[in-house]
Structures are given as C-alpha cells and as structure tokens.
Amino acid sequence: MTDLEKQIDFIHEIDKLKYIERMTCLFNSTRNENDAEHSWHLCMMALVLHGQSNEKIDLLKVLKMLLIHDIVEIDAGDTFLFDTKKSHDNTEEELKAAKRIFGMLPEEQGVELIKVWQEFEAAETAEAKFAKAIDRLAPMMQNATNNGGTWAQHNVSYETVIEKKKRIKDGSESLWDYAKGLADNYYK
C-alpha cells in the first residue's frame, strides 16, 4: 500500500470514533456525547483556555493529544471514570489498540502518534498535564448543566468526584478552582 492509501484507510477507521458513546450528556441535554464530539470540544477548550496552564505549553502538541487520546476507544471502548468494576487506567488494552490503529499509518506517522498518545497517558509533561486537565474539566462542566448528570445517575459522592478530578490542578490551578467550585455548588 502507498502512504496515501494507508492514510486514507486510517481516516476511514477513525470515523468509528463518532459511534463511541460516552456516559456524559451534552450541555443542557439528555443526549449522550460521542468521542468525536468530545475530542473536538476539548480542542476548542484548549485553544481558548491555554493561557490558564500552570506552565508554558506547546499548544499544537496539546491539540494533537486531545484529538487522538480517545481513538484507542474504537477497540478498547470508553471506560467511565467513576466505574467501580473496571479501572479507568486500562492502558494495556489501550496500548494494543493504539498500536493497531496508529499502526495503520505510514510508520513515521504511526510512531509519532503512539508517542504523543503515550505522553498524554503518562501525564508527566506540561502539555500532557494541561491536556488531562481539559479532559477532566469538560465532563464536570457538562454535569453541572445537567443537574449532576452522571454524578447523580450513578450516586457518585463529592469525595469521589474530588479525588478523581483533582489532577486538573496539575495542569491548571485556575481551572481546578473553577472545577472544584462546580462540584461544591452541586453537592452543597
């Protein structure tokens, strides 16, 4: 196959992201968001909010992370952050998916995207910390507009929300203050 044919096949494959339904509903809605909508919205949030990062960041790298971070869910599925039966850190299953899906691309591109995905998962760089902060903030904002959304639906305690979401602070203290305020307002 030519590089172009590989790239076109990859583009067809990632269209499946539109069919991966998330637990969280759209703002002020009862319709569940899909992974493609989620990724797009996170990128727009990063574009607008990147000045809130704790550290100077490479915005293009953050956008790459946010665009690709959930592509592995085509194979691995979406795991609800507050799931009590399955760990949200199913990285072995997701790594297998990353290798298959990004491996469809020409080698250099595939290797680059796997590295970017792994950097996001490790959450050690300023870019990854900020991307994770945005990824954790968005569902909180959605739940706040939906009378608690998945928190209410699944009887998630305030303490659990704070514990699972506190890593927002690693990427942005100001966004963490805002996010914590959303939880405080809902649970008061």
Side-chain angles (χ1 to χ4, degrees):
M1 290 179 76
T2 68
D3 283 355
L4 176 60
E5 289 169 325
K6 291 176 183 180
Q7 291 163 329
I8 296 297
D9 281 353
F10 173 79
I11 290 166
H12 279 274
E13 183 68 13
I14 65 170
D15 190 67
K16 294 176 182 175
L17 206 58
K18 297 173 186 173
Y19 297 97
I20 307 296
E21 194 172 272
R22 297 173 51 79
M23 294 290 290
T24 312
C25 291
L26 302 175
F27 284 94
N28 300 305
S29 177
T30 57
R31 182 173 78 76
N32 292 70
E33 177 181 52
N34 69 49
D35 268 353
E37 292 168 322
H38 171 69
S39 296
W40 167 82
H41 204 214
L42 296 182
C43 286
M44 289 304 301
M45 289 173 66
L47 194 63
V48 172
L49 298 172
H50 72 274
Q52 301 297 320
S53 177
N54 290 341
E55 301 176 58
K56 186 176 183 200
I57 55 171
D58 176 346
L59 181 58
L60 179 57
K61 185 176 247 188
V62 171
L63 294 173
K64 283 181 183 180
M65 287 178 183
L66 294 173
L67 283 170
I68 69 167
H69 79 287
D70 279 341
I71 285 177
V72 297
E73 293 181 3
I74 290 169
D75 289 357
D78 180 44
T79 302
F80 182 48
L81 182 63
F82 301 107
D83 193 316
T84 56
K85 294 179 180 78
K86 184 177 180 184
S87 169
H88 193 264
D89 298 322
N90 53 344
T91 49
E92 279 186 42
E93 188 179 354
E94 290 181 344
L95 179 58
K96 182 180 175 187
K99 287 179 178 179
R100 182 193 76 77
I101 299 166
F102 299 131
M104 296 175 72
L105 287 164
E107 187 175 352
E108 188 177 320
Q109 278 186 316
V111 167
E112 177 199 357
L113 292 185
I114 288 172
K115 284 182 181 176
V116 170
W117 177 79
Q118 288 174 317
E119 182 180 339
F120 173 83
E121 288 297 316
E124 293 171 354
T125 64
E127 288 80 11
K129 289 175 186 177
F130 185 71
K132 287 274 189 185
I134 294 292
D135 188 37
R136 294 283 166 101
L137 173 61
M140 291 185 79
M141 294 171 64
Q142 290 165 313
N143 284 340
T145 68
N146 289 314
N147 300 315
T150 57
W151 302 333
Q153 232 178 343
H154 299 279
N155 298 312
V156 180
S157 71
Y158 173 81
E159 293 76 22
T160 300
V161 169
I162 296 303
E163 181 60 30
K164 294 279 190 175
K165 299 291 188 166
K166 69 183 178 185
R167 72 186 314 177
I168 292 171
K169 189 176 189 177
D170 297 342
S172 174
E173 298 216 13
S174 59
L175 293 180
W176 170 242
D177 291 343
Y178 174 75
K180 187 172 181 308
L182 293 174
D184 289 348
N185 285 338
Y186 172 71
Y187 285 99
K188 67 178 176 179

